[in-house]
Amino acid sequence: MTKDEIIGALTALSRQIEDYAASGAVRFHMPGHAGVAFDKLPDALIPAYKLDVTELDFSDNLYDPSEGGPIKSACRALAAIYGTGATVPTTGGATAALFAAIAAAASHDPERAAPLSCDVTRQGSNIASCGSKKRGVKFLCARGIHKSAVYAMAAASADADFIYPDESGEYSSSDFAAALKDGAYNAVIITSPDYYGHIQDVALIASVCHDAGVPLICDAAHGAHLDFYEGGRLSPVKNGADLTISSLHKTLPAMTGAALLHGTGCFGNFDMLCRRMARSASTSPSYPIILSIFSSVAFMYENGARLTGELARHVDYAKNELRALGFLLPGHKISDPCRITISPPDGDGRAYYNYLSQKGIMCEFTDGHNVVMIPSVLHGEREFEALISASCDYVRGAGAGKDKEEHKHKNKNGGQQFSPCVHVKTRPKRAMSLSDALLCEFETVKIKDAIGRVCAEPAAPYPPGVPILMPGEVCGEEEAEMLMESGVESICVTL
């Protein structure tokens, strides 16, 4: 497709719905607001209501698009932009895309080796097994997966084994390679980049997976911008992932819920991915979100390389200024060039977060030690200067009412202290499979009363939604301490 054809395909549906909204047609169809403003409706929402339609003759069907229709044409344009076999949009966010990816991989049937034994867990290794003797659908997962991936595996009646990171949060490709020799897996699931902006060596992990004949699913929900940065050199799609989840709304100018599922190789089948997505998403997708998917990608297609480059330069400048003030930044081998994760000189991430909020700077998240910021490609110099100025004031003592001399980092090692759900410190014991635990009757108890009990739901601080305890794992004293440290007050346990 030519550039003009791509832009035309991505904007066709917007033009048709805008024309319909301007026509003044009487709407005897869903949704019930009929495009009419009413008392109590905020003025800012009126334009969106006018564009909020349903599946009509001209507006197509997101998960069953007609040949030659505006949605299928737009999806072909998406595949051309991202260099995939197929790219399917969803208004259900990364969660819907993860469900679809895992469902697609669940039907992947590599040649099976002997079933894993109950004692496959290696003492002192970074590999932990669910201990199931039965053959069936099973995934090999980096421990730092999002809880929605856990629910998606359970929906596929799947079990999981886990690979743990080292103390720096890095996952070793050799750990994946060793585990893939032990048994047959439907796929490997990793998260890259994670909430803190840590990027794994996707190309190396993908190579190990493919050598074993196993596909790689990469949850890149926080990496939608990477497809446009420096030719996509950090993009999981470009680095060999077979199924990649891209949550546009997290880092690009798209509405909340806008996401894409990319498929390559044998997973680059548009009809198959649409069928999988239809099983996990609403049959009434939001048309304003659909329009924001196509328009934001069209915008990034034309401007993304320049804007992500400018954003990375702004972020690098801000990081250098903050580092000079005594802030700590991650020392990952590969970091998201457009994400800011910092810990203030006194180590009090909550106080720093609150101080920035008082100054009109709203950040994404604090884990109590670090503050995570997600800059936008629409930000410019003004926003970063405001951040640096407020941070200077905080360091001078305005933030916590302390003298500058009192600002000393609380981490005795002098480095950043990350949430234990990202840098996992324990290896919880497993009592039953993910699926079995999620089907059990359960009760909700305080953390102190959960010790020795079996977790019935992913126990995760949110954000970032990465479980400290997986369903079926036993809550020990260390896990309970980590949960309380992360602000989790109660969890679901089996009866």
Side-chain angles (χ1 to χ4, degrees), residues 39-70:
D39 185 30
K40 302 296 190 296
L41 179 68
D43 289 345
L45 279 181
I46 293 175
Y49 266 58
K50 292 184 180 300
L51 299 177
D52 188 25
V53 297
T54 188
E55 291 83 358
L56 303 171
D57 288 343
F58 70 87
S59 58
D60 215 343
N61 185 322
L62 185 60
Y63 302 127
D64 189 18
S66 58
E67 191 62 44

Side-chain angles (χ1 to χ4, degrees), residues 451-485:
I451 297 174
R453 303 284 298 274
V454 177
C455 192
E457 291 276 339
Y462 193 87
V466 177
I468 291 173
L469 277 172
M470 297 287 179
E473 292 179 341
V474 178
C475 181
E477 291 186 1
E478 285 185 280
E479 289 81 22
E481 183 180 345
M482 287 192 296
L483 286 164
M484 289 187 287
E485 178 189 335

